[in-house]
């Protein structure tokens, strides 16, 4: 909401900064964990400490199959469940290959096939770089893929005290080469609701997906159960997984890069990070 609107007034003349009003944006960006995020990060650490080779995963379509629409005719369930699953399995240290949105990769492959695209030229080169080569086997394949759907949204489950609703999820893990379904998980979560309760529903979907990812990853890693997390403790080496997901370092700077502070709400915030207290003085 705009500051002018919140004050009950409006202006038709822009201020010196070119704005009619200053947007309210005081809240910092934070990590978005569920009660199962710590378990996913523990799994990544457990596998890394034991040098367990993780299979490559692809995340397919995890659709909203509830058929429920909101009062404004939009869907009541998030349409981003596949994206939530990518984040969940990344937290668990599973290497991912992109199969959800391959439009750019397919376009560049077509350009390369027609010799219309090149890679970066060598430093100091004046001639155009050679056209990109298509090398057999250059794309990493997946070992398994995850698909499924959000299958239940029951908005009126009464318990005599407060309105209760539940959300259900069904996921399956499929062997990419044989198409054998090797893992099937079905979960539901109940929510105490008030008003539209749109945000708690989406948070429930994320929790459902992360719980399913915990179980599938534990099976793929061969983990005995959550008791190993208590014995595992904190990692002594820098890691590339955490409550915000995972990343591949672009440079050999794992001990000094920003990976360890990705969940810190103060970092890179010019109102909360003292290193950015007055960015105008830095340029």
């Amino acid at each position: 909401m705009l500051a002018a609107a919140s004050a009950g007034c409006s202006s038709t003349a822009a201020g010196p900064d070119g704005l009619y009003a200053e947007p309210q944006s005081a809240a910092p960006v934070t990590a978005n964990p569920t009660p199962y995020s710590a378990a996913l990060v523990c799994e990544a650490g457990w596998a890394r400490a034991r040098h367990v080779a993780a299979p490559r995963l692809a995340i397919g379509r995890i659709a909203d199959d509830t058929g429920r629409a909101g009062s404004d005719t939009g869907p009541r369930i998030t349409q981003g469940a596949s994206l939530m699953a990518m984040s969940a399995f990344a937290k668990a240290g599973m290497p991912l290959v992109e199969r959800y949105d391959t439009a750019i990769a397919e376009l560049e492959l077509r350009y390369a096939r027609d010799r219309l695209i090149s890679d970066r030229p060598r430093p100091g080169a004046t001639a155009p770089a050679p056209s990109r080569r298509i090398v057999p086997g250059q794309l990493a394949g997946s070992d398994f893929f995850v698909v499924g759907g959000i299958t239940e949204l029951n908005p009126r489950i009464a318990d005599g005290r407060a309105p209760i609703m539940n959300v259900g999820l069904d996921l399956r893990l499929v062997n990419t080469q044989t198409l054998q379904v090797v893992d099937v998980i079905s979960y539901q979560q109940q929510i105490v609701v008030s008003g539209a309760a749109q945000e708690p529903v989406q948070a429930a979907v994320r929790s459902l997906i992360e719980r399913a990812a915990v179980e599938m990853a534990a099976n793929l890693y061969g983990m005995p159960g959550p008791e190993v997390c208590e014995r595992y403790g904190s990692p002594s080496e820098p890691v590339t997984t955490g409550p915000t997901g995972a990343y591949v370092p672009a440079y050999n700077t794992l001990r000094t890069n920003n990976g360890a502070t990705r969940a810190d709400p103060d970092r890179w915030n010019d109102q909360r990070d003292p290193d950015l207290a007055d960015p105008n003085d830095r340029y």
Side-chain angles (χ1 to χ4, degrees), residues 189-273:
Q189 183 174 15
Q190 295 188 355
I191 312 164
V192 178
V193 298
S194 60
Q198 189 74 1
E199 290 183 355
V201 173
Q202 319 310 349
V205 172
R206 188 180 293 275
S207 291
L208 288 165
I209 289 173
E210 291 208 347
R211 174 64 193 275
V214 164
E215 302 295 349
M216 287 182 173
N219 180 37
L220 291 172
Y221 280 141
M223 292 181 65
E227 63 274 9
V228 300
C229 293
E230 183 177 345
R231 296 198 302 267
Y232 173 69
S234 300
S236 57
E237 296 293 324
V239 298
T240 59
T241 57
T244 61
Y247 69 100
V248 176
Y251 302 94
N252 187 22
T253 57
L254 186 57
R255 291 184 175 276
T256 58
N257 68 11
N258 65 312
T261 61
R262 288 190 168 201
D264 186 343
D266 294 337
R267 295 294 287 164
W268 303 101
N269 185 316
D270 66 359
Q271 299 178 36
R272 302 167 68 97
D273 191 330

Side-chain angles (χ1 to χ4, degrees), residues 36-239:
Y36 303 100
S37 298
L40 290 165
V41 176
C42 163
E43 289 178 329
W46 185 91
R48 182 174 54 252
R50 288 156 182 79
H51 305 288
V52 177
R56 282 195 294 255
L57 297 186
I59 308 299
R61 186 168 176 263
I62 302 176
D64 170 15
D65 292 325
T66 64
R68 297 281 187 175
S71 58
D72 57 353
T73 71
R76 296 193 63 183
I77 289 292
T78 174
Q79 306 299 288
S82 294
L83 309 182
M84 294 180 179
M86 294 175 196
S87 298
F89 282 100
K91 294 176 187 178
M94 292 285 172
L96 300 173
V97 292
E98 182 62 53
R99 298 295 184 267
Y100 187 75
D101 186 352
T102 61
I104 292 177
E106 291 171 359
L107 179 62
E108 294 217 353
L109 180 62
R110 179 159 58 87
Y111 284 167
R113 187 179 297 116
D114 295 338
R115 305 184 67 182
L116 297 175
I117 194 170
S118 64
D119 290 314
R120 294 180 182 178
R122 293 185 301 274
T126 57
S131 59
R132 178 180 294 175
R133 296 176 57 201
I134 299 176
V135 180
Q138 68 185 22
L139 300 180
S142 65
D143 299 304
F144 300 93
F145 62 90
V146 179
V147 287
I150 305 162
T151 50
E152 292 184 48
L153 178 61
N154 300 307
R156 299 187 184 279
I157 302 175
D159 69 345
R161 298 188 305 274
I164 304 293
M165 70 185 305
N166 84 318
V167 185
L169 173 77
D170 292 84
L171 287 188
R172 59 192 185 276
L173 183 71
V174 185
N175 184 303
T176 303
Q177 296 189 39
T178 66
L179 294 187
Q180 178 186 6
V181 179
V182 297
D183 201 343
V184 175
I185 289 182
S186 178
Y187 282 128
Q188 67 95 27
Q189 183 174 15
Q190 295 188 355
I191 312 164
V192 178
V193 298
S194 60
Q198 189 74 1
E199 290 183 355
V201 173
Q202 319 310 349
V205 172
R206 188 180 293 275
S207 291
L208 288 165
I209 289 173
E210 291 208 347
R211 174 64 193 275
V214 164
E215 302 295 349
M216 287 182 173
N219 180 37
L220 291 172
Y221 280 141
M223 292 181 65
E227 63 274 9
V228 300
C229 293
E230 183 177 345
R231 296 198 302 267
Y232 173 69
S234 300
S236 57
E237 296 293 324
V239 298

